[in-house]
Amino acid sequence: MFKKLKLFNCCFSLFIVSSITSQTKPHNVIQSNDIIVIDGFDTLSNPWTGGFNAVQISKIDLNFDSMEDLFVFDRTGNKITTFLNNGDSYSYAPEYEQLFPQSLSSWVLLRDYNNDNKKDIFCSVSGGIGVWENTSVNDELSFNLITNPFVYSYQYSTNTNLYVSVVDIPAINDIDGDGDLDILSFGVLGSSLEYHKNMSVESGYNQDSLIFELKNACWGHFREDGLTNTCILFDTCGFNVSSPESNMGTSTTRNQTTRHSGSTVLSLDLNSDNVKDLILGDVSFGNLVALYNDNIGVNQNTSFISQDTSFPSNSLPIDLFIFPASFYEDMDFDGIKDLVVSPNSDNDTEDKESIWFYKNFGSNHSPSFYFQQNNLLQDETIDLGRGAKPIFVDINNDNLLDLIVSNFGEFDLNVPVHYSSSISSFINIGTSLSPMFEKTSDNFQNIATTLNRLNLAPAFGDLDYDGDLDAIVGDFDGNLHYFENTSPNPNQMSLNLSISPLVDQLNNVFDVGYCAHPTLFDIDNDNDLDLIVGEAIGNLNYLENIGDSTTFNFELVSETLGQVDVSEWWTNIGSSTPQFKIINQEVNLFVGSERGHIFHYGNISNNLNGSFNLVDSNILNIYTGPNNVPAIYDINNDTILDFLIGNKRGGISLYYGSLDSTVSDNIDEINTTKYILFPNPSTKKIKSNVPPNTSYQIYSIDGGLIQQGFFNMEIDIEGLENGIYFILFHVDNEYHMHKFIKCKLH
């Protein structure tokens, strides 16, 4: 263990000594959440989650501390995000995301099907439901696929797959109160709800199996209207199984003509009568409908007798434009389950304010929901709606790179296209070793208002050779726009639209098709900035600067620069987002893509008419979601390139580069998750769940010992300078390392 600690300190020394060497490409990356971001009067607790659009909420104990943590699955890009439960807050913990199956898609619900107190995975697979058993042992999270390939149910005299549409979300719950999990879902045909009863108990398997039988094809005797946002109650159910439970109808002819289009189902007891009620969302509407069951009995083929079409009508009703999905989990640490609602679609619906939180002021069996906020989790992260595009640029000329983030747009019903684009700015108020960003504008330099276009993508460089940074901005329509910096103050920008759209010397408009994403770089090494522009189909356009020493002048040389193509094999969509970096005196090209991979190319210098060498089609196996846009820079001044990556979900992920994976592995072995540290960031004190009288040492980011002592409830850090620190706990001959941030909250 002392050897590992020595490696850790050597790693610090490497960072400091190598700061005088040239920039290098990372061999490994470590995802992090530690760079402070201040937005107004709030220091964001989880700034680098990557954003959220259409989420599905479940709880699971990730770190085996007997507290349920937060699992968030986003239908946009099928992205998993994990948070640890600190007792009164959630902290982003990306290290758990890779421990889940990476094939999860469409919808995911975590439920304990075998009553071993470990949440298992229920997920959409082709034609039905796949189940992964939680096989974690020795505090190591793991899952094993146990369905081959899907869950079966005995129905219509045969054992066949229990169908759930990929656009639906079923209810997976104990409907009949016998202790095993049943399933409510809409079938292949029709708009009535199927009740698939788990026969585990009846088959003598002690509530731990997945043995299903269709017991009612019209459970609750209702059907969705299809034309309105209401349900038709007391349906005659001409289509049913031969003997639905308690046998109120026996027709077996499949004569329904209404085709199911898409629904989300949540089952819970809304009125404390021990019979499950329903909350339904529909693909065509933005509201939720609550259906109240009668109280005759669980298995008496009962009917829904009333409905609330503006649920919850006692508070602000749900209004998410289209297709809301609801989830029932304790989100505020009081032991009572709350209601969380988010869209079940990632197209043309709420995105920046898409996680509605209703606190339960009642009980788990008689809830009383009241609206609290429409941006749960989103208010503590960088989230610009849809399609975040980060770029590093020194806005105020202080030799610290700041952050500009543009987007495709934010959902806005007040405009005809339903999206409004923006460009936000974050000033770096930290240091070269420890950056810290403070948001200064949602409409940087008024560019978005001036252009009034979608999918804005700026690039910065001195194009008029006057010593300050100008800007070229691409848009959704494939055009480019030139903004000249006319500020007399070198510490301030003043960007004014000068040429729109950008044209060549023959006055021909540069139009790259759709989604122009420019970068400025002297690719031909003639001491002026050229334009390389990505576009929707995944290629690169090369616009050479043929101007003189005082005036730029672009000419289209190639629409297939380097034969770069980041499109999928089955489509011509690629969404190329290029960035050049000089690494060890060689030009390297990194290209983000629609599929969410970062492509790496070499063999660029003196090869502008040839094919660039594809070094890697998924560098470092980084995946943050589709439409990724990398911003690459040595953020912490350790000479190793780091990554900020935007994605379709509207947020940004942070990855630190590392040269030696063995050193990183040793750090990870020290930095276990057996104990937690909170709050983090903190201004005055930090707390932990380590045992009392545990010895600790606090180290600065350069490896120096700053403070030591014995832990007793909390540690006073008010005297520390703002920055990043490491605390080392010594518990039972083991070392446990945590990174924390000391900051001054605004």
Side-chain angles (χ1 to χ4, degrees):
M1 182 57 67
F2 286 103
K3 183 178 181 181
K4 293 177 184 175
L5 182 58
K6 184 177 180 180
L7 282 172
F8 171 76
N9 283 326
C10 287
C11 186
F12 276 137
S13 301
L14 173 65
F15 288 171
I16 300 302
V17 173
S18 62
S19 62
I20 60 174
T21 66
S22 62
Q23 216 170 46
T24 55
K25 179 172 69 71
H27 300 162
N28 188 31
V29 287
I30 302 171
Q31 193 171 0
S32 182
N33 188 48
D34 66 359
I35 295 180
I36 295 171
V37 177
I38 300 169
D39 187 351
F41 295 99
D42 184 22
T43 297
L44 302 182
S45 59
N46 298 299
W48 307 105
T49 63
F52 306 96
N53 278 2
V55 305
Q56 301 157 20
I57 301 289
S58 295
K59 303 292 284 292
I60 183 175
D61 187 358
L62 295 170
N63 58 348
F64 307 96
D65 63 354
S66 299
M67 293 195 300
E68 284 207 314
D69 308 297
L70 191 60
F71 171 92
V72 181
F73 182 80
D74 204 314
R75 188 179 278 266
T76 301
N78 298 316
K79 185 65 177 67
I80 298 168
T81 310
T82 50
F83 297 81
L84 288 180
N85 181 346
N86 298 325
D88 58 359
S89 63
Y90 293 107
S91 59
Y92 181 42
E95 61 268 25
Y96 295 97
E97 295 169 1
Q98 295 300 315
L99 302 180
F100 287 85
Q102 298 305 294
S103 59
L104 303 182
S105 65
S106 300
W107 61 263
V108 179
L109 298 173
L110 305 188
R111 302 286 189 266
D112 181 9
Y113 86 86
N114 54 3
N115 283 284
D116 62 355
N117 295 316
K118 295 187 293 187
K119 293 289 184 67
D120 309 296
I121 300 172
F122 288 74
C123 175
S124 175
V125 295
S126 179
I129 303 174
V131 178
W132 285 256
E133 182 184 1
N134 188 332
T135 54
S136 304
V137 293
N138 299 323
D139 293 354
E140 293 185 6
L141 196 65
S142 63
F143 299 91
N144 180 47
L145 180 64
I146 62 171
T147 51
N148 186 26
F150 34 60
V151 170
Y152 287 84
S153 179
Y154 186 78
Q155 46 191 319
Y156 308 110
S157 302
T158 186
N159 204 36
T160 187
N161 63 303
L162 198 166
Y163 175 82
V164 177
S165 168
V166 295
V167 302
D168 283 5
I169 297 180
I172 302 176
N173 200 350
D174 182 9
I175 301 299
D176 55 8
D178 65 355
D180 53 24
L181 291 176
D182 310 299
I183 296 176
L184 297 173
S185 68
F186 287 90
V188 179
L189 298 173
S191 54
S192 297
L193 198 62
E194 295 181 349
Y195 167 41
H196 294 266
K197 181 176 180 177
N198 192 334
M199 305 299 290
S200 177
V201 172
E202 290 78 2
S203 303
Y205 287 97
N206 198 29
Q207 304 174 339
D208 61 357
S209 299
L210 299 170
I211 306 170
F212 293 97
E213 182 176 341
L214 178 61
K215 288 294 186 178
N216 199 328
C218 188
W219 191 75
H221 302 117
F222 79 97
R223 58 186 169 90
E224 295 179 307
D225 185 282
L227 299 177
T228 69
N229 59 354
T230 62
C231 294
I232 298 173
L233 304 183
F234 306 107
D235 184 41
T236 55
C237 293
F239 167 43
N240 212 330
V241 296
S242 59
S243 298
E245 294 208 341
S246 294
N247 198 17
M248 283 187 60
T250 58
S251 173
T252 59
T253 56
R254 308 183 74 156
N255 56 7
Q256 279 194 318
T257 57
T258 304
R259 190 172 184 86
H260 175 66
S261 55
S263 301
T264 62
V265 187
L266 174 66
S267 62
L268 72 169
D269 188 357
L270 287 170
N271 51 10
S272 193
D273 63 359
N274 295 315
V275 179
K276 290 294 189 291
D277 308 297
L278 291 182
I279 298 177
L280 295 180
D282 186 89
V283 67
S284 301
F285 303 98
N287 67 306
L288 289 175
V289 176
L291 296 175
Y292 294 85
N293 216 328
D294 64 29
N295 58 2
I296 295 175
V298 175
N299 286 329
Q300 301 303 312
N301 201 17
T302 58
S303 299
F304 290 109
I305 58 176
S306 63
Q307 61 183 310
D308 180 356
T309 60
S310 298
F311 184 81
S313 56
N314 61 298
S315 183
L316 179 68
I318 289 293
D319 184 7
L320 279 172
F321 189 59
I322 58 169
F323 211 2
S326 52
F327 307 91
Y328 197 39
E329 298 285 2
D330 176 19
M331 300 300 296
D332 57 1
F333 316 98
D334 63 358
I336 302 173
K337 292 185 177 182
D338 308 294
L339 183 69
V340 180
V341 186
S342 187
N344 195 41
S345 169
D346 63 356
N347 291 312
D348 202 29
T349 188
E350 293 287 354
D351 41 43
K352 188 176 179 179
E353 297 177 339
S354 62
I355 309 178
W356 289 36
F357 170 51
Y358 289 79
K359 179 176 175 58
N360 185 354
F361 285 90
S363 67
N364 288 332
H365 298 289
S366 184
S368 180
F369 300 122
Y370 285 89
F371 175 78
Q372 304 296 303
Q373 62 183 109
N374 59 7
N375 58 352
L376 181 68
L377 302 177
Q378 296 170 302
D379 62 336
E380 292 296 336
T381 195
I382 298 173
D383 194 331
L384 274 72
R386 182 178 177 186
K389 302 171 178 62
I391 183 172
F392 287 111
V393 59
D394 187 359
I395 296 173
N396 53 4
N397 199 31
D398 64 352
N399 296 316
L400 294 175
L401 286 189
D402 310 299
L403 183 62
I404 296 291
V405 188
S406 62
N407 66 358
F408 172 87
E410 177 185 344
F411 186 73
D412 185 356
L413 281 175
N414 295 317
V415 296
V417 293
H418 288 180
Y419 286 95
S420 296
S421 293
S422 66
I423 301 178
S424 298
S425 58
F426 298 80
I427 298 295
N428 188 346
I429 60 174
T431 67
S432 60
L433 289 175
S434 180
M436 181 185 304
F437 295 108
E438 182 173 18
K439 189 175 184 178
T440 55
S441 176
D442 285 317
N443 188 11
F444 177 68
Q445 294 290 309
N446 208 37
I447 293 173
T449 303
T450 301
L451 291 178
N452 193 25
R453 306 284 184 105
L454 286 178
N455 202 51
L456 300 179
F460 294 88
D462 185 5
L463 288 168
D464 53 6
Y465 311 98
D466 63 353
D468 57 27
L469 293 178
D470 310 295
I472 299 287
V473 182
D475 66 24
F476 177 79
D477 294 324
N479 297 140
L480 302 164
H481 312 271
Y482 169 56
F483 284 78
E484 182 183 359
N485 188 350
T486 60
S487 174
N489 186 343
N491 298 324
Q492 293 180 351
M493 277 190 179
S494 180
L495 295 176
N496 294 279
L497 184 61
S498 179
I499 304 175
S500 180
L502 200 64
V503 296
D504 65 14
Q505 57 186 342
L506 299 178
N507 211 36
N508 296 312
V509 173
F510 292 116
D511 184 348
V512 302
Y514 289 100
C515 301
H517 191 104
T519 189
L520 287 162
F521 183 75
D522 183 10
I523 195 171
D524 55 4
N525 199 29
D526 64 352
N527 296 315
D528 58 27
L529 292 174
D530 307 297
L531 259 176
I532 297 87
V533 187
E535 62 167 302
I537 63 174
N539 60 299
L540 295 182
N541 301 270
Y542 171 34
L543 281 61
E544 182 184 358
N545 189 344
I546 59 173
D548 55 34
S549 60
T550 59
T551 306
F552 69 86
N553 189 5
F554 293 112
E555 179 180 72
L556 178 63
V557 174
S558 173
E559 295 179 334
T560 57
L561 177 66
Q563 303 303 310
V564 170
D565 182 5
V566 298
S567 64
E568 298 277 16
W569 65 268
W570 47 270
T571 178
N572 64 348
I573 301 300
S575 301
S576 49
T577 59
Q579 181 169 158
F580 292 90
K581 300 300 292 186
I582 297 177
I583 303 174
N584 296 328
Q585 288 76 52
E586 294 292 332
V587 176
N588 286 254
L589 170 63
F590 300 89
V591 187
S593 65
E594 173 79 18
R595 73 181 75 178
H597 296 171
I598 300 174
F599 290 70
H600 177 206
Y601 292 88
N603 188 28
I604 296 169
S605 300
N606 303 315
N607 187 32
L608 300 186
N609 295 320
S611 296
F612 299 161
N613 176 41
L614 178 60
V615 179
D616 197 334
S617 61
N618 185 17
I619 185 170
L620 299 169
N621 294 314
I622 297 173
Y623 180 76
T624 66
N627 293 119
N628 72 344
V629 180
I632 305 171
Y633 179 68
D634 179 11
I635 299 172
N636 53 5
N637 203 25
D638 63 0
T639 78
I640 309 168
L641 290 176
D642 310 301
F643 297 80
L644 291 184
I645 305 175
N647 70 84
K648 187 177 180 180
R649 303 189 324 276
I652 304 173
S653 301
L654 165 63
Y655 290 83
Y656 287 118
S658 171
L659 285 181
D660 189 343
S661 60
T662 61
V663 173
S664 300
D665 290 342
N666 282 314
I667 293 175
D668 288 342
E669 287 183 41
I670 297 175
N671 190 8
T672 66
T673 57
K674 185 174 182 179
Y675 300 106
I676 61 174
L677 195 71
F678 62 96
N680 190 6
S682 179
T683 58
K684 296 182 179 181
K685 299 180 186 297
I686 51 175
K687 301 179 182 181
S688 179
N689 63 338
V690 298
N693 298 317
T694 294
S695 65
Y696 74 89
Q697 296 86 38
I698 295 178
Y699 294 89
S700 64
I701 195 169
D702 61 1
L705 179 63
I706 300 296
Q707 181 177 319
Q708 60 183 330
F710 292 91
F711 175 79
N712 189 10
M713 301 296 291
E714 60 188 19
I715 299 173
D716 188 349
I717 62 168
E718 190 169 6
L720 300 183
E721 296 291 331
N722 290 343
I724 300 172
Y725 295 88
F726 293 85
I727 185 167
L728 186 70
F729 291 113
H730 188 193
V731 185
D732 297 331
N733 296 318
E734 293 182 347
Y735 287 96
H736 301 272
M737 179 71 73
H738 292 270
K739 181 185 291 187
F740 71 91
I741 300 171
K742 165 60 169 39
C743 66
K744 179 181 179 182
L745 295 178
H746 287 214

